[in-house]
């Protein structure tokens, strides 16, 4: 690790941010023979996914999933009773696992392949950044032929009157606390909100979800929202959609937090022990002084081309700071493409490799889980793509009935004239695993006529996909095809997963 740069401090490729996308860019650039520097000012190395995102949240959710199974023991003829959750033990297990993951990533960043600077970067001009070390020692400058900005994201906090004064938690607080208050209001209706609501209720807390939109997962089909709302309500989670929060106030003497909001035509006040703000995340672009580098933004996200180039061609970006979907596998792909294209730019070759968002993949570890890949029906309609669709419910599927996990459905979308699979949605047991069968099929541009012929073992959850595939295949109308019209899922298109 470096605190101050070697002389001269000039590199082929400078990565700002050492998370999953940044590390992918750095290792790829090094493998191509570029000299690489990584600048990271975070308190801990490893990035959001490992420290405060994917891995810690799923570790906690595993505990909630098992507690739900214990609560349902009698349904399966078993004698067991939930005795409560040891939040400290859950937290300690998470810390042990995350420490292992994080230390491995730290070793990768410090193994000598890159110059690693522990500090905060700010552009002075398009080829120079000033670094403020974390230890508050003197600033210094480094220059680069090319850059990749991969600074990730930070929690979004809405400007609700009284919220800041009253106090609130974000998912960061939930993930590392050793105690939990008895009641929560979860603000939001996306992945973070519904995963945290599942965890909190799963370990015995009273939860109310307050969502501004009329549905959960505003970019997905409304049926997904309906299934989750029904399932959560059945568990005892109160779901208020289509709301408008007026203010938040602190209780006098009772330690409660009071939320005043409109739900439909009704004015309500909810009193809870804690408020969890889970309204997504925003790109971490503050402090980078992107104006000096002439890098354009769309809202707070860096505007990028499919080549991962910003408005400044030698400055690339990857991950949450620019992505149409803030998930780690996309950040890694983007980082790798950015590095390869930076290498081409330095070599004087055409910068031509583009990010393919055709397989845009999304998953939520709620209960039931939610997963989607490719285009939605809205995307296809907006693009004018002729398509057929079919769905099948888990409550009529043998294996899910045996499991007692019957909430949800699978849906498949295919081109009406060719039968090529264009998208799929799964809401139900192990949805985040089941979706990959369709991802693989779409990767090879399989048609529903081919998919329905693939043998599936019985009884398994995965065989449920054969039913919508067969129905879609029957609806395909072969003939003279129109030009292949596909939905545009690139950043800025307006399409969402």
């Amino acid at each position: 690790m470096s605190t101050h740069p070697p002389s001269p401090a000039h590199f082929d490729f400078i990565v700002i941010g050492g998370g999953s996308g940044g590390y992918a860019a750095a290792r790829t650039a090094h493998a191509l023979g570029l000299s690489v520097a990584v600048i990271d000012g975070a308190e801990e190395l490893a990035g959001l996914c490992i420290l405060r995102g994917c891995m810690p949240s799923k570790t906690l959710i595993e505990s909630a999933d098992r507690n739900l199974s214990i609560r349902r023991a009698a349904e399966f003829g078993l004698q067991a009773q939930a005795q409560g959750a040891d939040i400290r033990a859950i937290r300690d297990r998470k810390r042990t696992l995350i420490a292992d993951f994080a230390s491995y990533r730290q070793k990768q960043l410090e193994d000598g392949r890159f110059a690693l600077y522990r500090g905060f970067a700010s552009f002075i001009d398009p080829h120079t950044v000033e670094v403020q070390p974390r230890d508050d020692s003197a600033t210094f400058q480094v220059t680069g032929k090319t850059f990749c900005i991969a600074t990730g994201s930070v929690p979004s906090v809405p400007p609700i009157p009284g919220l800041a004064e009253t106090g609130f938690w974000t998912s960061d607080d939930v993930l590392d606390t050793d105690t939990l208050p008895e009641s929560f209001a979860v603000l939001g209706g996306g992945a973070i909100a519904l995963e945290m609501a599942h965890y909190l209720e799963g370990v015995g807390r009273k939860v109310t979800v307050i969502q501004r939109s009329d549905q959960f997962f505003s970019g997905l089909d409304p049926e997904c929202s309906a299934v989750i709302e029904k399932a959560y309500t059945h568990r005892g989670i109160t779901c208020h959609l289509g709301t408008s929060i007026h203010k938040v106030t602190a209780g006098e003497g009772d330690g409660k937090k009071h939320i005043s909001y409109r739900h439909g035509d009704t004015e309500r006040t909810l009193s809870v022990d804690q408020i969890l703000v889970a309204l997504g995340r925003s790109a971490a672009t503050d402090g980078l002084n992107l104006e000096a580098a002439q890098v354009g933004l769309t809202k707070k996200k860096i505007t990028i081309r499919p080549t991962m180039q910003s408005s400044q061609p030698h400055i690339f970006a990857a991950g949450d700071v620019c992505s149409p979907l803030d998930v780690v596998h996309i950040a890694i792909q983007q980082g790798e493409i950015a590095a390869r294209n930076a290498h081409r730019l330095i070599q004087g070759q055409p910068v031509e490799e583009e990010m393919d968002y055709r397989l845009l993949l999304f998953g939520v570890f709620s209960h039931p889980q939610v997963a989607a890949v490719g285009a939605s029906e809205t995307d296809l309609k907006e693009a004018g793509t002729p398509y057929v669709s079919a769905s099948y419910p888990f409550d009529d599927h043998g294996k899910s009935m045996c499991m007692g996990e019957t909430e949800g459905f699978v849906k498949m979308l295919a081109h009406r004239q060719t039968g090529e699979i264009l998208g799929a949605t799964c809401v139900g047991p192990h949805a985040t695993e089941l979706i990959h069968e369709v991802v693989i099929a779409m990767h090879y541009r399989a048609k529903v006529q081919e998919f329905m012929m693939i043998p599936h073992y019985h009884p398994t959850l995965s065989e449920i996909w054969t039913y919508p595939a067969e129905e879609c295949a029957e609806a395909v109308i072969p003939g003279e095809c129109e030009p292949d019209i596909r939905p545009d899922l690139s950043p800025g298109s307006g399409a969402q997963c």
Side-chain angles (χ1 to χ4, degrees):
M1 181 179 70
S2 300
T3 301
H4 298 286
S7 182
H10 182 77
F11 299 89
D12 294 324
F13 191 59
I14 296 176
V15 179
I16 305 175
S20 297
Y23 173 70
R27 63 166 169 74
T28 302
H30 171 77
L32 291 169
L34 302 184
S35 59
V36 181
V38 177
I39 305 171
D40 192 306
E43 182 177 350
E44 298 178 82
L45 289 174
L48 173 66
C49 176
I50 292 175
L51 296 174
R52 297 179 303 282
C54 315
M55 303 311 295
S57 64
K58 278 47 176 186
T59 303
L60 268 58
I61 285 171
E62 285 295 331
S63 296
D65 288 342
R66 280 157 175 74
N67 206 36
L68 290 182
S69 295
I70 295 171
R71 281 157 50 172
R72 296 180 60 190
E75 188 180 325
F76 296 86
L78 302 175
Q79 295 181 3
Q81 187 173 358
Q83 300 295 320
D86 184 339
I87 304 304
R88 181 184 292 274
I90 293 172
R91 190 279 311 270
D92 289 348
R93 176 177 181 267
K94 184 271 301 185
R95 282 188 173 181
T96 299
L97 287 169
I98 299 311
D100 186 41
F101 299 143
S103 64
Y104 182 69
R105 174 55 50 80
Q106 182 173 338
K107 289 176 183 176
Q108 290 177 313
L109 288 166
E110 295 178 341
D111 64 9
R113 287 175 292 168
F114 331 115
L116 175 63
Y117 302 127
R118 299 290 280 116
F120 304 95
S122 177
F123 281 93
I124 295 175
D125 61 50
H127 284 278
T128 310
V129 292
E130 184 173 71
V131 180
Q132 172 62 65
R134 277 193 56 84
D135 62 10
D136 290 326
S137 57
T139 61
F140 57 87
Q141 296 179 5
V142 290
T143 60
K145 294 179 182 177
T146 59
F147 293 80
C148 180
I149 302 171
T151 46
S153 59
V154 294
S156 295
V157 179
I160 298 172
L163 179 62
E165 295 80 4
T166 304
F168 59 90
W169 280 12
T170 68
S171 59
D172 290 356
D173 299 294
V174 175
L175 295 176
D176 205 46
T177 184
D178 59 1
T179 60
L180 284 174
E182 290 302 314
S183 61
F184 281 84
V186 178
L187 309 187
I192 298 173
L194 295 176
E195 288 184 352
M196 291 293 96
H198 162 44
Y199 167 67
L200 292 169
E201 195 283 330
V203 295
R205 282 7 183 215
K206 179 67 177 175
V207 178
T208 300
V209 180
I210 302 176
Q211 161 74 329
R212 182 177 60 181
S213 171
D214 290 329
Q215 72 171 76
F216 295 135
F217 309 117
S218 57
L220 297 181
D221 292 330
E223 301 99 309
C224 299
S225 175
V227 170
I228 295 297
E229 183 179 4
K230 182 178 179 181
Y232 275 29
T233 301
H234 180 72
R235 283 175 56 180
I237 299 174
T238 302
C239 299
H240 287 170
L241 287 75
T243 67
S244 176
I245 300 178
H246 305 319
K247 64 180 180 179
V248 175
T249 56
E252 296 183 5
D254 60 0
K256 297 285 187 179
K257 302 174 190 291
H258 308 300
I259 306 173
S260 300
Y261 61 102
R262 174 179 286 274
H263 177 220
D265 296 326
T266 305
E267 293 289 342
R268 298 178 181 269
T269 299
L270 174 67
S271 298
V272 293
D273 295 315
Q274 190 54 267
I275 298 170
L276 173 61
V277 175
L279 293 162
R281 302 179 68 87
S282 59
T285 50
D286 290 346
L288 290 172
N289 195 26
L290 295 177
E291 299 88 350
Q294 300 170 24
V295 171
L297 299 176
T298 301
K299 295 184 178 179
K300 294 197 71 173
K301 288 205 171 193
I302 294 174
T303 306
I304 53 166
R305 308 171 193 172
T307 56
M308 305 314 302
Q309 290 171 290
S310 70
S311 55
Q312 186 66 264
H314 71 278
I315 299 178
F316 298 78
D320 295 3
V321 77
C322 66
S323 185
L325 187 63
D326 297 350
V327 291
V328 69
H329 73 276
I330 289 180
I332 292 171
Q333 287 179 278
Q334 292 172 330
E336 292 170 343
I337 289 174
R340 289 194 289 267
N341 279 336
H343 179 255
R344 293 184 178 98
L345 189 66
I346 291 172
Q347 296 297 314
Q349 301 171 355
V351 178
E352 56 189 5
E353 185 177 358
E354 296 186 349
M355 185 69 189
D356 181 7
Y357 293 101
R358 183 175 64 90
L359 300 180
L360 205 59
L361 179 61
F362 178 63
V364 184
F365 292 75
S366 47
H367 191 93
Q369 293 183 358
V370 179
V373 62
S376 67
E377 290 200 62
T378 299
D379 295 330
L380 296 174
K381 288 175 182 176
E382 291 179 352
T385 304
Y387 73 95
V388 295
S389 69
S391 61
Y392 198 84
F394 278 104
D395 65 7
D396 191 40
H397 184 57
K399 182 60 187 294
S400 55
M401 294 168 72
C402 293
M403 294 170 61
E405 299 285 352
T406 57
E407 297 163 317
F409 64 93
V410 293
K411 176 188 282 189
M412 190 174 286
L413 307 172
H415 197 288
R416 188 173 65 227
Q417 294 160 326
T418 67
E420 182 180 340
I421 301 171
L422 300 178
T425 300
C426 180
V427 183
H430 302 292
T432 56
E433 302 289 344
L434 288 176
I435 197 68
H436 288 88
E437 184 165 353
V438 183
V439 175
I440 293 170
M442 289 179 62
H443 176 77
Y444 290 103
R445 298 191 178 276
K447 301 178 180 180
V448 285
Q449 303 94 309
E450 300 165 330
F451 189 96
M452 62 176 283
M453 301 300 293
I454 299 172
H456 287 71
Y457 199 80
H458 176 78
T460 60
L461 286 174
S462 59
E463 66 179 331
I464 195 173
W465 286 116
T466 63
Y467 302 120
E470 183 175 3
E471 187 175 338
C472 283
E474 292 174 352
V476 169
I477 304 174
E480 184 177 350
C481 294
E482 302 173 4
D484 193 16
I485 305 173
R486 299 178 187 277
D488 180 9
L489 297 179
S490 60
S493 68
Q496 299 180 27
C497 181

